[in-house]
């Protein structure tokens, strides 16, 4: 009989569904002032960042989420110079943002400095751009930061955890109004907005709240294997630019594995069961 | 303390990753001559068909897979009259096929009659079209059936289990040649071809094998929550029609939740990490 340790990490993705991954080694475990933080080395996905027992990102599949959070928004804006990233302490979104040559400054506002420290130490492939000279790291509450900065940013990216615990306020109508005010007059923002299979009450509410503030509101999709059900939504609110009107032939070639100019277009094509959520949200 | 029974079904999706679903009730368990068959009533996905401990379909998410298996192929063919469905004993693909008014005959060739019987009894929402007068059910080996029928079908849909056990031969070059011969001169076929994240050796081989037989070979994507990683591939081999050249404005309105004319186009847009598999496959 094989005497090797059978060590599994299990995330209860909903009350009734769980994803488990075989663990080679637990690299880090810590209770921060905000959440329970762990870095695991898994057989399937390599190193994995876990917050409050929910998979945030893994070395193998992080490209999907980080590319889609950054490039759809940045390639929709005509000339993004100043970018704010809220959350995303692993640095993956920042790494993608600094690939854009127009970007002069990235303010990375993360509430929990321990996530950044653990990511620097254990996830260098993901956190590698945090030392880029254009990046300013601010350890602060994103809600407070946007309230204190008016007409400051071209693009704001909200890379939050799920809408429970520290990130709850990042899914509120008042936060979207603060975001609007923190953006320049042609600014836009994007947020991860959960699963179209499992969050069918949340998505219509967010879509309605964002539409109430921004003249252009668009939802797009990508498939992240370590998130519940795979299929994931992202919602963009924009003051002027419409991601559907981008001339995709003009998007510069980038080193990406999921995003491409063609995907920039196709990710907005919604199956009817997703479209239905937006109709519920008042479109 | 809650004394309620904690009953979970767990599928080892790979050696290192497992999906578990909370079970209300085990409705059926049987060892057929071909495989181990179960029907479970789950909290998350409703009733679920499990073969050899692998989730085949569930009442809640089956629409994605069945619609995409049927409609992309049928709306690519100019006038599909005679259709062969291999496997898919639950009847979900057949239910979608008979939505097409041009279809005069569906031969449903399933190797394991017990799957059909269990689906009739426990999954009426999925199996409901098996009694359609246009449907002929044949309990036989799909490989044998295609060998024995030359120039017979307009469209062949291969709704197989994974390429281990009874379905192994449905992923072979010789089977694709038999399919070619069983099709009419403007015929086409489609098969489910597994995950672009977890089957990165299999997909290039299949793509190469199908391309060696069919002048038009196209891979498309859909996201099925209960399959490993969500994102799933389907490969079409066609003698004449190209799914990319379909005039989607001419696709009739259908009662679907995932497929739409716009999805018919967008599902062929492949992220670079999937495109790469086809280059490996010789494109």
């Amino acid at each position: 009989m094989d005497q090797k340790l059978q060590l599994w990490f299990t995330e209860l993705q909903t009350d009734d569904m769980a994803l488990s991954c075989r663990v080679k080694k637990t690299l880090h475990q810590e209770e921060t002032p905000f959440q329970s933080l762990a870095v695991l080395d898994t057989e399937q996905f390599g190193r994995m960042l876990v917050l409050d027992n929910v998979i945030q990102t893994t070395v193998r599949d992080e490209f999907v989420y980080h590319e889609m959070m950054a490039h759809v928004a940045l390639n929709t804006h005509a000339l993004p110079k100043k970018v704010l990233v809220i959350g995303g302490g692993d640095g993956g979104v920042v790494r993608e943002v600094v690939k854009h040559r127009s970007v002069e400054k990235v303010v990375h506002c993360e509430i929990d400095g321990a996530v950044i420290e653990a990511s620097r130490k254990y996830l260098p492939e993901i956190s590698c751009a945090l030392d880029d000279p254009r990046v300013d790291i601010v350890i602060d509450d994103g809600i407070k930061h946007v309230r204190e900065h008016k007409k400051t940013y071209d693009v704001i990216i909200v890379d939050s955890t799920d809408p429970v615990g520290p990130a709850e306020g990042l899914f509120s109508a008042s936060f979207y109004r603060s975001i609007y005010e923190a953006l320049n007059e042609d600014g836009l923002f994007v947020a991860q907005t959960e699963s179209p299979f499992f969050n069918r009450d949340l998505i219509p509410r967010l879509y309605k709240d964002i539409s109430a503030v921004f003249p252009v509101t668009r939802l797009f999709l990508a498939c992240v294997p370590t998130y519940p059900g795979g299929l994931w939504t992202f919602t963009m609110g924009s003051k002027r630019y419409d991601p559907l009107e981008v001339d995709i032939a003009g998007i510069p070639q980038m080193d990406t594995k999921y995003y491409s100019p063609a995907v920039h277009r196709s990710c907005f094509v919604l199956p009817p069961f997703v479209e239905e959520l937006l109709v519920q949200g008042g479109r």
Side-chain angles (χ1 to χ4, degrees), chain A:
Chain A
M1 193 182 153
D2 189 356
Q3 303 294 329
K4 209 176 138 191
L5 183 70
Q6 295 280 332
L7 187 64
W8 289 80
F9 157 71
T10 297
E11 175 186 336
L12 210 58
Q13 294 185 310
T14 71
D15 288 346
D16 301 311
M17 178 171 80
L19 183 70
S20 303
C21 295
R22 193 187 292 274
V23 173
K24 278 187 201 173
K25 201 173 178 186
T26 61
L27 298 171
H28 187 77
Q29 277 183 275
E30 176 184 0
E31 297 302 315
T32 81
F34 297 96
Q35 51 207 343
S36 173
L37 186 164
V39 183
L40 307 175
D41 190 8
T42 69
E43 294 281 356
Q44 188 69 60
F45 295 107
R47 292 187 177 194
M48 174 186 279
L49 174 66
V50 181
L51 297 177
D52 285 346
N53 208 53
V54 174
I55 300 173
Q56 300 300 309
T57 198
T58 81
V59 166
R60 297 277 162 76
D61 78 340
E62 56 94 7
F63 66 93
V64 181
Y65 179 82
H66 293 136
E67 291 180 10
M68 293 301 278
M69 283 289 273
H71 302 312
V72 179
L74 287 163
N75 286 329
T76 295
H77 194 286
L79 195 69
K81 290 181 180 174
K82 199 161 178 193
V83 178
L84 171 64
V85 177
I86 295 172
D90 51 68
V93 169
V94 169
R95 184 196 62 201
E96 296 303 310
V97 169
V98 299
K99 288 181 179 173
H100 290 256
R101 295 183 63 183
S102 68
V103 171
E104 294 167 0
K105 176 65 71 189
V106 185
V107 176
H108 182 201
C109 182
E110 163 63 55
I111 200 167
D112 190 347
V115 177
I116 294 179
E117 290 322 302
S119 300
R120 280 187 190 280
K121 186 165 178 187
Y122 296 105
L123 304 168
E125 310 90 329
I126 302 177
S127 62
C128 52
L130 291 176
D131 294 323
D132 187 287
R134 290 172 288 172
V135 178
D136 281 351
I137 296 174
V138 177
I139 304 302
D140 201 357
D141 177 0
I143 296 172
K144 178 165 157 279
H145 183 90
V146 294
R147 278 198 196 129
E148 292 170 353
H149 291 79
K150 307 286 185 192
K151 293 193 179 176
T152 304
Y153 296 106
D154 299 313
V155 172
I156 298 177
I157 301 175
V158 186
D159 179 7
S160 73
T161 52
D162 295 327
V164 285
E168 201 174 343
L170 302 178
F171 291 82
S172 72
S174 65
F175 178 61
Y176 301 136
R177 281 191 296 274
S178 301
I179 293 245
Y180 184 93
E181 290 169 12
L183 286 166
N184 291 324
E185 62 185 9
D186 62 350
L188 57 87
F189 95 104
V190 68
Q192 74 83 4
T193 46
E194 306 280 309
S195 159
F197 286 104
F198 304 116
N199 303 91
R200 292 184 69 82
D201 293 324
L202 179 75
I203 293 170
R205 176 175 72 70
L206 300 183
Y207 188 82
K208 190 178 176 182
D209 287 349
I210 296 171
S211 301
V213 179
F214 287 88
V216 180
T217 304
R218 301 285 182 208
L219 184 138
F220 60 98
L221 298 169
C223 192
V224 183
T226 50
Y227 289 179
L231 197 66
W232 212 248
T233 72
F234 304 80
T235 307
M236 187 189 295
S238 174
K239 293 189 180 186
R240 183 183 299 171
Y241 305 112
D242 186 340
L244 301 182
E245 287 169 8
V246 169
D247 173 18
I248 62 170
I251 294 176
Q253 185 65 34
M254 278 190 300
D255 173 29
T256 50
K257 292 195 281 181
Y258 192 94
Y259 178 86
S260 70
V263 167
H264 184 105
R265 186 63 40 84
S266 66
C267 69
F268 291 95
V269 176
L270 308 180
F273 87 104
V274 182
E275 191 78 37
E276 189 179 275
L277 297 174
L278 310 192
V279 175
Q280 285 171 33
R283 184 164 82 185

